[in-house]
Amino acid sequence: MLTSSNSHFPGLITIAGFDPSAGAGILADIKAFEHCRVYGQAVCTAFTIQNEDFFEKPNWLHWEQIKSQLQILSRVRDFCYAKIGLVENPETLEKIFKWLRKKYPDIFIIWDPILKASSGFKFHKQNAVTWQKLLAYANLITPNLLEAEFLDIAKGSPKTAVLVKGGHASNSQKSEDLLFLPNSPAPVKFASKRIKKERHGSGCTLSALILANFAKYKDLEKSIRISKKTMQGFFENGNGKLGVLW
Protein backbone atom coordinates (compact mmCIF):
# COMPACT_ATOMS: atom_id res chain seq x y z
CA MET A 1 0.00 0.00 0.00
CA LEU A 2 1.39 3.38 -1.02
CA THR A 3 0.93 6.18 1.48
CA SER A 4 0.92 9.96 1.40
CA SER A 5 4.52 10.33 2.61
CA ASN A 6 5.58 12.15 -0.57
CA SER A 7 4.28 15.73 -0.42
CA HIS A 8 3.33 15.63 -4.11
CA PHE A 9 1.17 12.53 -3.52
CA PRO A 10 -1.09 13.53 -0.62
CA GLY A 11 -3.86 11.11 -1.58
CA LEU A 12 -6.39 13.19 -3.53
CA ILE A 13 -9.35 11.80 -5.42
CA THR A 14 -12.15 13.42 -7.39
CA ILE A 15 -15.45 11.61 -7.89
CA ALA A 16 -17.44 13.34 -10.60
CA GLY A 17 -18.59 13.34 -14.21
CA PHE A 18 -16.52 13.24 -17.39
CA ASP A 19 -16.87 16.39 -19.51
CA PRO A 20 -15.38 16.01 -23.03
CA SER A 21 -14.63 19.75 -23.19
CA ALA A 22 -12.35 19.37 -20.13
CA GLY A 23 -13.90 22.51 -18.69
CA ALA A 24 -15.71 20.79 -15.82
CA GLY A 25 -15.85 17.46 -14.00
CA ILE A 26 -12.93 15.15 -13.40
CA LEU A 27 -10.75 16.55 -16.18
CA ALA A 28 -11.04 20.06 -14.76
CA ASP A 29 -10.36 18.74 -11.26
CA ILE A 30 -7.21 16.90 -12.30
CA LYS A 31 -5.95 20.04 -14.06
CA ALA A 32 -6.55 22.02 -10.87
CA PHE A 33 -4.65 19.43 -8.81
CA GLU A 34 -1.75 19.56 -11.26
CA HIS A 35 -1.74 23.35 -11.11
CA CYS A 36 -1.20 23.07 -7.35
CA ARG A 37 1.58 20.53 -7.99
CA VAL A 38 -0.18 17.65 -6.28
CA TYR A 39 -1.13 14.33 -7.86
CA GLY A 40 -4.75 13.27 -7.91
CA GLN A 41 -6.79 10.36 -9.21
CA ALA A 42 -10.36 10.20 -10.48
CA VAL A 43 -13.51 8.10 -10.38
CA CYS A 44 -16.13 8.74 -13.06
CA THR A 45 -19.83 9.00 -12.16
CA ALA A 46 -21.21 9.89 -15.60
CA PHE A 47 -20.13 10.21 -19.21
CA THR A 48 -21.72 13.46 -20.30
CA ILE A 49 -22.51 14.52 -23.84
CA GLN A 50 -21.61 18.20 -23.89
CA ASN A 51 -19.23 20.96 -24.87
CA GLU A 52 -18.61 24.28 -23.15
CA ASP A 53 -21.73 25.80 -24.74
CA PHE A 54 -24.29 22.99 -24.90
CA PHE A 55 -25.31 20.07 -22.71
CA GLU A 56 -27.25 17.21 -24.28
CA LYS A 57 -27.44 14.50 -21.64
CA PRO A 58 -25.63 12.58 -18.87
CA ASN A 59 -24.99 8.87 -19.18
CA TRP A 60 -24.98 7.83 -15.54
CA LEU A 61 -22.76 5.10 -14.10
CA HIS A 62 -24.44 2.85 -11.57
CA TRP A 63 -23.18 2.58 -8.00
CA GLU A 64 -21.53 -0.80 -8.61
CA GLN A 65 -19.47 0.71 -11.44
CA ILE A 66 -18.46 3.63 -9.24
CA LYS A 67 -17.61 1.32 -6.36
CA SER A 68 -15.44 -0.87 -8.59
CA GLN A 69 -13.36 2.17 -9.54
CA LEU A 70 -12.96 3.16 -5.90
CA GLN A 71 -12.00 -0.34 -4.85
CA ILE A 72 -9.27 -0.88 -7.41
CA LEU A 73 -7.70 2.52 -6.75
CA SER A 74 -7.77 1.91 -3.00
CA ARG A 75 -5.66 -1.22 -3.42
CA VAL A 76 -2.57 0.90 -3.97
CA ARG A 77 -3.42 4.31 -2.52
CA ASP A 78 -4.73 5.65 0.78
CA PHE A 79 -6.95 8.63 0.09
CA CYS A 80 -6.87 11.50 2.57
CA TYR A 81 -8.79 14.10 0.57
CA ALA A 82 -11.80 13.72 -1.71
CA LYS A 83 -14.00 15.95 -3.82
CA ILE A 84 -17.45 14.82 -4.96
CA GLY A 85 -19.16 16.56 -7.86
CA LEU A 86 -21.87 15.39 -10.23
CA VAL A 87 -23.84 12.32 -9.10
CA GLU A 88 -27.10 10.85 -10.33
CA ASN A 89 -29.18 11.11 -7.15
CA PRO A 90 -29.03 11.35 -3.34
CA GLU A 91 -28.96 7.57 -3.03
CA THR A 92 -25.75 7.32 -5.04
CA LEU A 93 -24.21 10.24 -3.17
CA GLU A 94 -24.99 8.59 0.17
CA LYS A 95 -23.33 5.35 -0.95
CA ILE A 96 -20.21 7.24 -2.01
CA PHE A 97 -20.10 9.12 1.29
CA LYS A 98 -20.54 5.95 3.35
CA TRP A 99 -17.94 4.02 1.36
CA LEU A 100 -15.37 6.78 1.84
CA ARG A 101 -16.12 7.24 5.55
CA LYS A 102 -15.91 3.51 6.23
CA LYS A 103 -12.68 3.02 4.27
CA TYR A 104 -11.01 6.27 5.39
CA PRO A 105 -12.65 7.56 8.61
CA ASP A 106 -10.53 10.73 8.73
CA ILE A 107 -10.79 11.66 5.06
CA PHE A 108 -11.49 15.34 4.30
CA ILE A 109 -14.42 15.57 1.85
CA ILE A 110 -15.59 18.52 -0.22
CA TRP A 111 -19.01 18.15 -1.80
CA ASP A 112 -19.67 20.53 -4.67
CA PRO A 113 -23.44 20.18 -5.25
CA ILE A 114 -24.33 20.48 -8.95
CA LEU A 115 -28.02 21.03 -9.66
CA LYS A 116 -27.66 22.15 -13.26
CA ALA A 117 -25.04 22.66 -15.95
CA SER A 118 -23.78 26.15 -16.77
CA SER A 119 -25.75 25.82 -20.03
CA GLY A 120 -28.95 25.44 -17.98
CA PHE A 121 -29.52 21.67 -18.13
CA LYS A 122 -31.12 20.47 -14.87
CA PHE A 123 -29.69 17.25 -13.49
CA HIS A 124 -32.06 16.51 -10.61
CA LYS A 125 -35.64 16.75 -9.55
CA GLN A 126 -36.16 19.47 -7.00
CA ASN A 127 -36.41 17.50 -3.76
CA ALA A 128 -34.22 19.24 -1.21
CA VAL A 129 -34.98 17.06 1.81
CA THR A 130 -33.22 13.94 0.51
CA TRP A 131 -30.09 15.96 -0.25
CA GLN A 132 -30.18 17.85 3.06
CA LYS A 133 -29.95 14.60 5.03
CA LEU A 134 -26.44 14.05 3.63
CA LEU A 135 -24.86 17.36 4.67
CA ALA A 136 -23.07 15.98 7.71
CA TYR A 137 -21.02 13.53 5.66
CA ALA A 138 -18.99 16.37 4.12
CA ASN A 139 -16.35 18.56 5.74
CA LEU A 140 -17.04 21.42 3.35
CA ILE A 141 -19.89 22.10 0.92
CA THR A 142 -19.36 24.61 -1.90
CA PRO A 143 -22.72 25.66 -3.38
CA ASN A 144 -23.45 28.73 -5.45
CA LEU A 145 -26.23 31.00 -4.21
CA LEU A 146 -29.01 29.12 -5.98
CA GLU A 147 -27.78 25.75 -4.72
CA ALA A 148 -27.34 27.11 -1.19
CA GLU A 149 -30.91 28.38 -1.16
CA PHE A 150 -32.20 25.07 -2.49
CA LEU A 151 -30.34 23.15 0.24
CA ASP A 152 -31.34 25.74 2.88
CA ILE A 153 -27.70 26.46 3.76
CA ALA A 154 -27.41 30.02 2.40
CA LYS A 155 -26.63 31.11 5.96
CA GLY A 156 -24.56 28.05 6.85
CA SER A 157 -25.24 24.72 8.51
CA PRO A 158 -24.69 23.45 12.07
CA LYS A 159 -23.50 20.16 10.56
CA THR A 160 -20.60 21.23 8.34
CA ALA A 161 -18.64 24.12 6.86
CA VAL A 162 -20.30 25.84 3.91
CA LEU A 163 -18.68 28.13 1.35
CA VAL A 164 -21.46 30.05 -0.42
CA LYS A 165 -20.10 31.30 -3.73
CA GLY A 166 -21.29 34.78 -4.63
CA GLY A 167 -20.83 34.70 -8.39
CA HIS A 168 -24.59 34.83 -8.98
CA ALA A 169 -25.13 37.86 -6.75
CA SER A 170 -26.36 41.13 -8.23
CA ASN A 171 -23.38 43.18 -6.99
CA SER A 172 -21.58 44.31 -10.14
CA GLN A 173 -18.36 45.54 -8.58
CA LYS A 174 -17.11 42.56 -6.62
CA SER A 175 -17.75 38.91 -6.00
CA GLU A 176 -18.02 37.90 -2.35
CA ASP A 177 -17.92 34.32 -1.11
CA LEU A 178 -18.97 33.55 2.46
CA LEU A 179 -17.50 30.76 4.57
CA PHE A 180 -19.86 29.63 7.32
CA LEU A 181 -18.26 27.44 9.96
CA PRO A 182 -20.48 25.34 12.26
CA ASN A 183 -21.64 27.35 15.28
CA SER A 184 -19.62 30.40 14.19
CA PRO A 185 -21.31 33.75 14.91
CA ALA A 186 -20.39 35.32 11.56
CA PRO A 187 -19.10 34.16 8.19
CA VAL A 188 -15.59 34.74 6.87
CA LYS A 189 -15.75 36.94 3.77
CA PHE A 190 -13.64 36.44 0.66
CA ALA A 191 -14.06 39.39 -1.70
CA SER A 192 -12.57 39.65 -5.17
CA LYS A 193 -12.98 41.81 -8.26
CA ARG A 194 -15.91 40.68 -10.35
CA ILE A 195 -14.81 39.71 -13.85
CA LYS A 196 -17.74 39.73 -16.24
CA LYS A 197 -16.83 36.61 -18.17
CA GLU A 198 -18.79 33.39 -18.12
CA ARG A 199 -16.53 30.42 -17.49
CA HIS A 200 -17.70 26.85 -17.91
CA GLY A 201 -16.77 24.70 -14.89
CA SER A 202 -15.67 27.53 -12.61
CA GLY A 203 -17.34 25.91 -9.60
CA CYS A 204 -15.65 22.57 -10.24
CA THR A 205 -12.28 24.25 -10.62
CA LEU A 206 -12.59 26.32 -7.45
CA SER A 207 -13.58 23.38 -5.24
CA ALA A 208 -10.76 21.27 -6.68
CA LEU A 209 -8.24 24.05 -6.03
CA ILE A 210 -9.48 24.35 -2.44
CA LEU A 211 -9.05 20.62 -1.91
CA ALA A 212 -5.53 20.60 -3.36
CA ASN A 213 -4.47 23.63 -1.34
CA PHE A 214 -5.99 22.21 1.83
CA ALA A 215 -3.97 19.03 1.27
CA LYS A 216 -0.85 21.21 1.16
CA TYR A 217 -1.54 23.75 3.93
CA LYS A 218 -4.13 22.09 6.23
CA ASP A 219 -5.73 25.53 6.70
CA LEU A 220 -9.18 26.03 5.21
CA GLU A 221 -9.26 29.84 5.16
CA LYS A 222 -5.77 30.05 3.65
CA SER A 223 -6.68 27.43 1.06
CA ILE A 224 -9.78 29.35 0.01
CA ARG A 225 -7.88 32.66 -0.28
CA ILE A 226 -5.16 31.12 -2.42
CA SER A 227 -7.72 29.35 -4.59
CA LYS A 228 -9.78 32.52 -5.06
CA LYS A 229 -6.65 34.35 -6.20
CA THR A 230 -5.93 31.59 -8.70
CA MET A 231 -9.49 31.83 -10.01
CA GLN A 232 -8.92 35.48 -10.96
CA GLY A 233 -6.44 34.28 -13.57
CA PHE A 234 -8.83 31.52 -14.62
CA PHE A 235 -11.48 34.13 -15.47
CA GLU A 236 -9.01 36.48 -17.16
CA ASN A 237 -7.40 33.85 -19.40
CA GLY A 238 -9.02 31.40 -21.77
CA ASN A 239 -10.89 30.95 -25.01
CA GLY A 240 -14.64 31.30 -25.29
CA LYS A 241 -16.20 29.91 -22.13
CA LEU A 242 -13.13 27.84 -21.22
CA GLY A 243 -10.81 29.31 -18.62
CA VAL A 244 -7.23 28.20 -18.08
CA LEU A 245 -4.91 27.90 -15.11
CA TRP A 246 -1.51 29.26 -16.05
Side-chain angles (χ1 to χ4, degrees):
M1 173 69 71
L2 298 176
T3 65
S4 304
S5 57
N6 188 316
S7 60
H8 294 290
F9 287 82
L12 272 72
I13 189 168
T14 170
I15 305 166
F18 175 84
D19 169 13
S21 78
I26 57 178
L27 290 181
D29 293 345
I30 292 297
K31 288 191 292 182
F33 295 165
E34 292 284 319
H35 177 82
C36 296
R37 301 183 64 82
V38 296
Y39 191 89
Q41 296 182 321
V43 164
C44 186
T45 60
F47 291 103
T48 66
I49 309 300
Q50 66 171 307
N51 57 33
E52 62 267 34
D53 294 313
F54 304 102
F55 192 103
E56 289 190 3
K57 65 177 182 178
N59 293 308
W60 299 108
L61 273 67
H62 300 301
W63 162 242
E64 291 300 323
Q65 296 169 300
I66 297 170
K67 182 171 70 171
S68 294
Q69 295 175 75
L70 289 166
Q71 288 174 330
I72 197 165
L73 289 176
S74 68
R75 292 180 189 176
V76 294
R77 177 92 27 212
D78 285 326
F79 292 106
C80 302
Y81 309 93
K83 178 205 158 178
I84 304 174
L86 181 65
V87 294
E88 182 178 8
N89 50 47
E91 293 74 24
T92 299
L93 178 61
E94 183 175 18
K95 290 175 181 177
I96 293 171
F97 273 137
K98 287 184 174 180
W99 190 95
L100 290 172
R101 289 293 178 202
K102 182 177 180 179
K103 183 71 176 180
Y104 310 109
D106 297 323
I107 192 170
F108 182 91
I109 302 176
I110 293 179
W111 174 35
D112 185 37
I114 302 172
L115 299 182
K116 67 178 182 178
S118 55
S119 63
F121 183 95
K122 292 184 178 180
F123 293 109
H124 309 294
K125 295 179 180 179
Q126 301 301 299
N127 184 353
V129 175
T130 54
W131 296 95
Q132 290 167 346
K133 293 178 180 179
L134 306 177
L135 299 180
Y137 283 105
N139 297 90
L140 173 67
I141 304 173
T142 58
N144 60 35
L145 280 172
L146 298 177
E147 292 160 346
E149 290 171 358
F150 170 72
L151 293 170
D152 195 25
I153 52 175
K155 295 184 179 181
S157 168
K159 300 177 181 180
T160 187
V162 178
L163 178 68
V164 180
K165 296 172 291 189
H168 290 79
S170 58
N171 188 319
S172 61
Q173 299 300 317
K174 65 179 181 178
S175 175
E176 188 173 77
D177 296 355
L178 301 177
L179 174 64
F180 295 89
L181 299 172
N183 303 314
S184 178
V188 181
K189 297 181 180 181
F190 302 89
S192 58
K193 179 182 177 181
R194 182 179 294 278
I195 301 174
K196 296 182 179 180
K197 291 183 180 179
E198 184 179 353
R199 286 289 186 241
H200 173 57
S202 58
C204 298
T205 300
L206 175 61
S207 58
L209 288 170
I210 293 171
L211 186 72
N213 282 312
F214 186 79
K216 293 172 65 175
Y217 302 112
K218 311 298 188 294
D219 184 312
L220 186 55
E221 290 186 32
K222 180 177 181 179
S223 300
I224 294 172
R225 292 190 190 282
I226 293 172
S227 301
K228 288 276 290 179
K229 184 176 181 179
T230 301
M231 288 300 293
Q232 290 294 108
F234 176 84
F235 278 99
E236 291 170 352
N237 300 287
N239 182 278
K241 292 182 180 179
L242 294 177
V244 293
L245 297 170
W246 294 137

